[in-house]
Amino acid sequence: MIEERNLEDWAWQLAAEVYRLNLYAHLTGRTVPRRSSVTEEELAGAIRNSFTQVNDACYREMVKLATDAALEAYDQVVSRNVKQSRARRAN
């Protein structure tokens, strides 16, 4: 049970990082090569700068896209682990 809990926590942390990276990339128009995260300051700066450059509808779309990517990452991690767990149990 502890292993499952740690896996779920890790999956949510990964999804949060995917969300932050995607939102940052959408807001700045830049990708973040070779990095697995952006800092709070970087994301906050990108959000602040976007208020003068992006309208509300566009911002909401960026948030939606980032959210969708994060949920997809979470689903992939959990699905892969469920399959691996079932395979281990079958053996």
Side-chain angles (χ1 to χ4, degrees):
M1 185 67 163
I2 292 173
E3 184 178 317
E4 288 177 18
R5 183 51 139 174
N6 290 338
L7 171 64
E8 186 177 350
D9 290 344
W10 178 77
W12 279 120
Q13 289 172 359
L14 177 67
E17 289 302 326
V18 167
Y19 172 83
R20 293 163 51 82
L21 283 166
N22 273 278
L23 184 57
Y24 180 81
H26 285 296
L27 290 172
T28 62
R30 297 180 272 155
T31 59
V32 189
R34 299 187 187 139
R35 289 181 56 190
S36 60
S37 65
V38 294
T39 66
E40 290 285 331
E41 293 80 23
E42 289 172 314
L43 186 57
I47 291 169
R48 268 192 310 277
N49 291 338
S50 74
F51 288 135
T52 60
Q53 301 170 1
V54 178
N55 66 36
D56 286 347
C58 189
Y59 183 78
R60 281 193 299 273
E61 181 63 20
M62 289 178 191
V63 169
K64 181 186 179 320
L65 291 171
T67 301
D68 290 347
L71 292 174
E72 179 65 25
Y74 178 83
D75 287 344
Q76 287 179 6
V77 168
V78 171
S79 294
R80 184 179 62 223
N81 271 311
V82 166
K83 288 178 186 176
Q84 288 174 349
S85 178
R86 287 180 182 158
R88 281 193 303 263
R89 288 182 188 156
N91 293 328

